[in-house]
């Protein structure tokens, strides 16, 4: 009896924990972030199989070759489809026929789109879903699928990149370590140029200047149209010194602040290198009418126009990134910093780690990182993973009065 009990326990552990190497489909897997997700998945999980999905066959061929140079002998294939031209039913059919354990969605931008990839993953009963979304509207639409994900047995995580993503979890860690009622919560980021990510991210940054921003003031959510692009002062980053930071509509200053129930204010911003870009962008935001930024003619046009110059300067500034999160109480401030030699790698690694963690420890429903890792032991596990990935150059938490 003991023996069969043991076997039964082992079998059920194997099936719920997915001890078989997972098969992961990466929508947008042929892009800069996508290949970084694939490489980390394959390096971390021996025997994992990855499908890179995108619209362009040639780009697919190159992406598979690129991943194989870093993960020799790994099982990587390309699948050609345009997720935006497929119905939810067709996408679900595709996920079923590919027998995937997890779907990772990094084919942004996530502005002005509905969460069809999540919808289809739930429809197909895929075990794990992770994306690198960031607009609040998208997050709201996606979290409304929570009950369906619960019923389908799908564990889904949104905003599973570096920021938002790792930053959300580190903010909860800092607030918990502070051990007192949190007052302010500020997120400051630095990325050298594009940080190795695709040119698409220039467009996304431009769009962000026109859509307004939700932040927290005196413990209440406040929408401000004129905040994006405005100066938030200089912040000290590990190994980089003081850098300019300007406001940008990262969702975490609303979602994490709400999760932690802060009583003061929360805002998020970023800065870049070379320094001159910060001044140029802020000057442009000052003179260009807000509504132009949400017009693709302007935002995409400006991105295309500035891309060659960004490519040139990127060769000099590298792809470093750093984040700094400050959480205050009535008496002290807890500051957590993290830095990585490559933004693109860090986003990919974070996304892969969140995905692997959910495969090993399923939590059905649709979650944000801050609620999924509110629990101390779950958070300790993921913080360990996220802050020790190859290329990490700093991780530190310190308290000041
Ligand atoms: N949270 C974070 O920390 C963070 C940081 C940086 C970026 N991001 C997100 O990551 C996303 C990807 O950035 P990236 O630098 O990897 O951009 P990228 O290099 O342009 O990659 C995007 C990939 O998606 C594919 N794709 C685009 N539309 C598609 C569609 N309709 N169907 C199938 N595949 C499609 C593209 O290939 P084809 O053109 O051949 O289809 C491309 O391979 C961004 O949109 C951004 O939202 C998040
Ligand atoms: C957070 O940012 C606000 C606005 O920039 C500032 O007034 C506040 O002092 C900051 N708090 C912390 C803890 O950094």
């Amino acid at each position: 009896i003991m023996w069969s009990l043991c076997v039964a326990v082992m079998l059920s552990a194997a099936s719920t924990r997915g001890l078989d190497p997972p098969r992961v489909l990466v929508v947008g897997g042929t892009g800069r972030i996508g290949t970084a997700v694939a490489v980390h998945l394959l390096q971390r999980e021996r025997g994992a199989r990855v499908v890179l999905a995108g619209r362009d066959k040639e780009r697919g061929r190159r992406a598979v070759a690129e991943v194989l140079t870093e993960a020799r002998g790994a099982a990587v294939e390309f699948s050609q489809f345009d997720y935006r031209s497929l119905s939810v039913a067709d996408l679900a059919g595709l996920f079923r026929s590919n027998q995937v354990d997890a779907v990772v969605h990094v084919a942004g931008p996530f502005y002005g789109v509905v969460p069809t990839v999540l919808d289809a993953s739930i429809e197909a009963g895929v075990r794990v879903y992770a994306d690198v979304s960031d607009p609040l509207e998208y997050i709201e639409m996606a979290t409304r699928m929570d009950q369906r994900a619960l019923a389908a047995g799908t564990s889904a995580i949104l905003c599973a990149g570096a920021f938002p993503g790792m930053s959300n979890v580190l903010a909860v860690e800092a607030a918990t370590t502070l051990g007192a009622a949190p007052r302010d919560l500020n997120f400051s980021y630095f990325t050298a140029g594009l940080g190795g990510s695709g040119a698409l991210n220039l467009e996304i940054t431009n769009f962000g200047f026109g859509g307004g921003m939700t932040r927290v003031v005196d413990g209440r959510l406040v929408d401000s149209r004129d905040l994006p692009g405005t100066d938030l002062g200089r912040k000290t980053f590990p190994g980089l010194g003081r850098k300019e930071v300007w406001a940008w509509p990262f969702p975490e200053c609303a979602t994490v602040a709400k999760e932690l129930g802060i009583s003061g204010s929360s805002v998020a911003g970023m800065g870049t290198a070379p320094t001159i870009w910060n001044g140029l962008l802020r000057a442009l935001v000052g003179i260009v009418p807000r509504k132009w930024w949400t017009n693709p003619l302007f935002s995409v046009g400006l991105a295309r126009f500035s891309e060659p110059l960004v490519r040139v300067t990127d060769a000099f500034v590298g792809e470093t990134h750093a984040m700094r999160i400050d959480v205050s109480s009535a008496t002290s401030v807890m500051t957590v910093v993290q830095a990585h030699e490559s933004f693109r790698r860090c986003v990919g690694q974070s996304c892969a780690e969140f995905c692997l963690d959910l495969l090993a420890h399923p939590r059905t429903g649709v979650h944000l990182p801050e609620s999924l890792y509110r629990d101390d032991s779950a958070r300790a596990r993921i913080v360990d993973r996220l802050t020790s990935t190859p290329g990490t150059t700093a991780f530190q938490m310190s308290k000041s009065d």
Side-chain angles (χ1 to χ4, degrees):
I1 289 172
M2 274 308 282
W3 173 241
S4 51
L5 211 67
C6 267
V7 171
V9 167
M10 276 161 62
L11 281 177
S12 73
S15 68
T16 55
R17 291 203 161 190
L19 290 185
D20 282 343
R23 183 167 166 86
V24 183
L25 186 138
V26 186
V27 181
T30 58
R32 302 314 299 140
I33 305 286
T35 49
V37 172
V39 166
H40 195 65
L41 277 173
L42 294 165
Q43 289 178 342
R44 267 270 280 116
E45 197 74 21
R46 274 189 196 288
R49 290 160 300 164
V50 172
V51 182
L52 307 175
R55 294 165 299 185
D56 187 82
K57 211 170 175 174
E58 178 49 30
R59 201 171 178 177
R61 197 193 55 74
R62 272 185 278 127
V64 169
E66 184 192 327
V67 171
L68 282 174
T69 60
E70 291 185 68
R72 278 178 209 289
V76 196
E77 15 171 330
F78 169 64
S79 170
Q80 185 179 26
F81 65 85
D82 176 351
Y83 84 87
R84 294 197 195 201
S85 72
L86 292 177
S87 68
V88 168
D90 287 346
L91 261 180
L94 227 148
F95 296 162
R96 265 193 225 101
S97 64
N98 269 284
Q99 296 189 310
V100 295
D101 299 297
V103 169
V104 171
H105 178 18
V106 293
F110 292 86
Y111 284 90
V113 296
V114 289
T116 49
V117 180
L118 170 61
D119 200 341
S121 301
I122 296 172
E123 191 73 36
V126 172
R127 279 203 290 140
V128 167
Y129 166 94
D131 73 29
V132 291
S133 57
D134 50 14
L136 272 178
E137 309 80 68
Y138 182 96
I139 295 167
E140 276 157 21
M141 285 187 279
T143 43
R144 271 185 238 125
M145 297 180 186
D146 183 58
Q147 290 301 314
R148 282 184 46 222
L150 216 64
T154 301
S155 302
I157 180 167
L158 313 170
C159 304
F163 41 83
M166 183 198 317
S167 55
N168 302 31
V169 179
L170 293 185
V172 178
E173 181 68 12
T176 311
T177 313
L178 186 63
R183 200 154 71 180
D184 294 347
L185 168 63
N186 292 336
F187 297 89
S188 314
Y189 306 130
F190 170 83
T191 311
L194 275 167
S197 68
L200 181 66
N201 293 281
L202 288 174
E203 279 169 39
I204 296 175
T205 306
N206 292 345
F207 269 99
F209 291 133
M213 176 166 175
T214 306
R215 61 171 301 196
V216 175
V217 178
D218 293 332
R220 274 190 300 270
L221 289 174
V222 174
D223 287 313
S224 158
R225 187 153 183 89
D226 296 322
L227 192 61
T230 58
D231 194 7
L232 293 177
R234 282 169 181 271
K235 296 281 162 70
T236 304
F237 292 96
L240 296 163
R242 286 166 75 74
K243 298 279 180 191
E244 271 177 62
V245 174
W246 31 268
W248 199 81
F250 291 102
E252 51 271 42
C253 65
T255 63
V256 182
K258 195 172 146 206
E259 174 73 29
L260 293 173
I262 66 159
S263 59
S265 77
S266 183
V267 71
M270 64 175 288
T272 187
T275 310
I276 189 166
W277 279 121
N278 299 306
L280 276 174
L281 275 173
R282 280 198 286 113
L284 268 180
V285 169
I287 53 175
V288 173
R290 288 281 169 186
K291 61 172 190 281
W292 283 26
W293 294 98
T294 47
N295 183 340
L297 274 180
F298 179 76
S299 272
V300 177
L302 180 64
R304 298 264 184 283
F305 174 76
S306 52
E307 189 187 335
L309 201 57
V310 173
R311 290 276 172 231
V312 170
T313 54
D314 272 12
F316 294 96
V317 296
E319 37 186 78
T320 328
H321 99 148
M323 63 174 98
R324 173 196 176 104
I325 300 150
D326 297 283
V327 192
S328 66
S329 67
T331 53
S332 43
V333 181
M334 188 66 76
T335 300
V336 54
V337 293
Q338 181 270 355
H340 197 288
E341 59 189 28
S342 164
F343 174 60
R344 157 187 176 251
R345 293 269 174 197
C346 187
V347 176
Q349 290 165 341
S350 302
C351 192
E353 288 295 348
F354 281 120
C355 172
L356 289 173
D357 191 65
L358 270 185
L359 279 164
H361 307 273
R363 272 269 300 279
T364 53
V366 178
H367 311 276
L368 283 165
E370 60 271 27
S371 56
L372 193 56
Y373 297 101
R374 192 73 199 262
D375 170 71
D376 288 350
S377 70
R379 195 175 58 257
R381 190 177 69 219
I382 196 79
V383 167
D384 245 20
R385 287 294 189 182
L386 293 172
T387 58
S388 61
T389 55
T392 303
T393 52
F395 170 58
Q396 202 177 57
M397 192 145 57
S398 57
K399 193 174 178 176
S400 55
D401 294 319

